[in-house]
């Protein structure tokens, strides 16, 4: 049979990345997670720690000053940060979401302009697709861009934009030819200093409170003509291709927060005594933990498979990425809900992290395509 060491296993480098990120997360991110949530403030400590270690945007290719990490490595980074604070995990996750359209479709000039500062940690990037009336039906967007000499002029509003205000760069989708519907949407690289660009007030959210979510306003926002990402009319295709590569990162967030909740639960049930013994000695509790463990492990493997599918350019990448995102996020909601239950009354208070994890887990079922949309995507691909 020969040496099977590499058979269906992560590399030593992947395991080393996990160990390094877990160390940083436990030392420099976890201690601030409750405060970040309570004060709805950006996790600057996490940003500094991740940037110093080069874990803030691991996916950017080496030719633009990045780490050039593979998709599984990036998922491991996001997973390990989300294990202690989902808000902080949106730093590497959204840097990937915002920059993926540029990596996939932009001209070399736009790549050279935008990617090096993100790789260096001098800037962050966000992704502007959704609007109030164009959520799941993203192609119904009304933000417009028109060519005016050597400039594009944008008008409209984007909604629910993660890390808005913190990010310097924004990948924005806008309609350039209304007649062509989805094929009339183009993508643009917008800088926060561009004239006519503004960021709205922060949404008051159930969870991920450390990551600002705002509207973006474009009022005759004028950008150089060469900042279009790809050819006119290809923006929506770029947006959908981007999601094939980023949905596994949402799965990774979900796996991370679920693992954090399970780890907290295991520690708690060993210590907590009722009826003269630790509650971990009761089979009812043990079976809950067993179910949590099974689901997390299944979700983790599916996420890595999806990440690898994107890396390998597998034809079923859209289906497996949708599966990973939907399955892992459903698992995260189940596991964090059970974690609160295992902690009992204590779990419902902010003295323990599991109620925050439950609130944070919910968004993974909603953003980057609701789980209902993921199921549509999966079914459509099966029935083709």
């Amino acid at each position: 049979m020969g040496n099977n060491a590499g058979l269906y296993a992560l590399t030593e480098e992947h395991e080393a990345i996990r160990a390094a990120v877990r160390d940083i997360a436990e030392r420099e991110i976890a201690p601030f997670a409750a405060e970040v949530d309570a004060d709805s403030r950006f996790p600057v400590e996490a940003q500094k720690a991740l940037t110093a270690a080069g874990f803030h945007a691991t996916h950017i290719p080496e030719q633009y000053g990045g780490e050039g990490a593979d998709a599984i490595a990036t998922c491991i980074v996001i997973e390990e940060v989300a294990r202690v604070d989902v808000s902080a995990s949106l730093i590497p996750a959204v840097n990937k979401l915002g920059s993926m359209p540029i990596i996939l479709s932009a001209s070399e000039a736009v790549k050279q302009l935008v990617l090096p500062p993100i790789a260096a940690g001098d800037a962050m990037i966000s992704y502007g697709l959704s609007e109030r009336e164009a959520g799941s039906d993203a192609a119904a967007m009304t933000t417009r861009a028109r060519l005016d000499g050597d400039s594009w002029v944008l008008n409209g509003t984007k909604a629910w934009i993660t890390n808005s205000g913190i990010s310097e760069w924004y990948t924005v989708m806008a309609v350039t030819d209304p007649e062509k519907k989805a094929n009339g949407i183009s993508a643009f690289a917008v800088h926060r200093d561009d004239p006519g660009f503004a960021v709205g007030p922060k949404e008051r959210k159930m969870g991920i409170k450390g990551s600002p979510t705002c509207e973006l306003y474009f009022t005759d926002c004028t950008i150089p003509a060469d900042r279009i990402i790809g050819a006119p009319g290809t923006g929506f295709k770029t947006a959908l291709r981007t999601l094939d590569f980023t949905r596994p990162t949402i799965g990774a967030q979900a796996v991370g927060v679920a693992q954090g909740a399970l780890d907290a639960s295991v520690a708690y049930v060993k210590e907590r005594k009722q009826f003269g013994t630790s509650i971990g000695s009761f089979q009812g509790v043990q079976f809950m933990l067993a179910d949590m463990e099974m689901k997390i492990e299944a979700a983790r493997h599916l996420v890595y498979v999806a990440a690898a599918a994107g890396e390998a350019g597998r034809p079923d990448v859209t289906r497996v990425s949708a599966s990973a995102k939907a399955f892992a996020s459903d698992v995260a909601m189940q596991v964090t809900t059970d974690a609160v239950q295992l902690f009992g009354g204590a779990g419902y208070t902010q003295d323990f992290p599991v109620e925050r994890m439950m609130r944070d887990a919910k968004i993974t079922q909603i953003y980057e395509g609701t789980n209902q949309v993921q199921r549509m995507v999966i079914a459509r691909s099966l029935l083709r």
Side-chain angles (χ1 to χ4, degrees):
M1 289 296 283
N3 178 11
N4 287 337
L7 188 67
Y8 198 70
L10 295 182
T11 64
E12 280 178 21
E13 189 185 5
H14 285 134
E15 298 298 356
I17 288 169
R18 183 186 303 281
V21 180
R22 180 163 296 198
D23 180 57
I24 291 167
E26 292 190 338
R27 274 189 303 118
E28 305 190 52
I29 301 175
F32 302 99
E35 179 194 320
V36 159
D37 174 66
D39 298 346
S40 296
R41 70 161 178 84
F42 187 71
V44 281
E45 300 85 359
Q47 185 185 23
K48 282 182 186 143
L50 291 169
T51 303
F55 290 132
H56 59 291
T58 49
H59 67 286
I60 294 179
E62 288 175 12
Q63 72 218 70
Y64 305 107
E67 304 286 328
D70 66 71
I72 292 180
T74 301
C75 280
I76 289 170
V77 171
I78 291 165
E79 175 189 340
E80 286 298 328
V81 176
R83 181 174 161 271
V84 301
D85 184 11
V86 181
S87 289
S89 76
L90 283 159
I91 295 168
V94 175
N95 271 337
K96 179 162 183 175
L97 175 64
S99 62
M100 222 42 224
I102 292 169
I103 292 168
L104 290 171
S105 304
S107 67
E108 192 54 36
V110 171
K111 288 178 181 174
Q112 291 291 354
L113 177 68
V114 178
L115 298 177
I118 297 165
D122 298 330
M124 285 172 57
I125 186 165
S126 291
Y127 181 78
L129 175 64
S130 297
E131 299 179 5
R132 292 278 169 199
E133 303 301 323
S136 292
D137 185 9
M141 68 179 68
T142 57
T143 296
R144 295 275 189 268
R146 67 173 201 276
L147 193 57
D148 182 7
D150 54 4
S151 301
W152 285 98
V153 181
L154 282 72
N155 280 284
T157 303
K158 292 291 173 181
W160 305 300
I161 307 306
T162 306
N163 289 346
S164 43
I166 303 284
S167 291
E168 249 182 65
W169 286 100
Y170 298 82
T171 293
V172 178
M173 309 295 162
V175 176
T176 46
D177 187 346
E179 302 293 299
K180 292 188 179 163
K181 305 246 175 5
N183 292 322
I185 293 169
S186 305
F188 302 90
V190 179
H191 191 272
R192 68 175 170 206
D193 295 339
D194 289 332
F197 174 80
V199 176
K202 290 201 304 192
E203 302 284 355
R204 296 168 304 156
K205 305 193 300 293
M206 175 184 186
I208 56 163
K209 294 187 177 192
S211 171
T213 307
C214 315
E215 290 188 325
L216 307 178
Y217 306 127
F218 304 89
T219 313
D220 286 336
C221 174
T222 306
I223 66 169
D226 59 8
R227 287 230 229 109
I228 191 168
I229 298 168
T234 61
F236 200 66
K237 285 186 186 72
T238 295
L240 296 182
R241 271 190 73 206
T242 293
L243 295 172
D244 289 343
F245 291 93
T246 58
R247 279 174 175 158
T249 69
I250 306 302
Q253 281 186 328
V255 168
V257 71
Q259 187 67 57
L262 176 58
D263 291 347
S265 299
V266 168
Y268 185 79
V269 303
K270 285 178 178 173
E271 296 298 314
R272 171 72 172 165
K273 294 201 166 33
Q274 289 291 281
F275 307 100
T277 183
S278 74
I279 61 171
S281 65
F282 299 125
Q283 198 173 49
V285 167
Q286 292 173 358
F287 281 11
M288 284 174 75
L289 293 171
D291 282 339
M292 291 156 87
E293 166 66 21
M294 272 192 281
K295 289 172 186 169
I296 293 168
E297 196 60 19
R300 178 178 289 116
H301 285 275
L302 184 52
V303 166
Y304 296 167
V305 166
E311 201 73 35
R314 270 174 40 184
D316 62 347
V317 60
T318 300
R319 180 166 75 219
V320 74
S321 289
S323 298
K325 189 273 189 194
F327 183 79
S329 57
D330 284 348
V331 163
M333 203 63 233
Q334 293 160 5
V335 167
T336 54
T337 303
D338 281 350
V340 172
Q341 192 69 21
L342 286 169
F343 275 73
Y348 202 71
T349 71
Q350 291 175 2
D351 298 338
F352 294 93
V354 286
E355 63 82 31
R356 180 185 80 243
M357 291 170 170
M358 182 180 170
R359 287 184 289 109
D360 286 349
K362 185 64 205 170
I363 192 61
T364 64
Q365 294 181 309
I366 296 170
Y367 60 12
E368 288 201 35
T370 64
N371 284 4
Q372 288 67 36
V373 165
Q374 308 301 333
R375 285 172 169 85
M376 283 168 54
V377 166
I378 295 161
R380 195 180 293 155
S381 132
L382 289 172
L383 294 169
R384 230 173 228 136

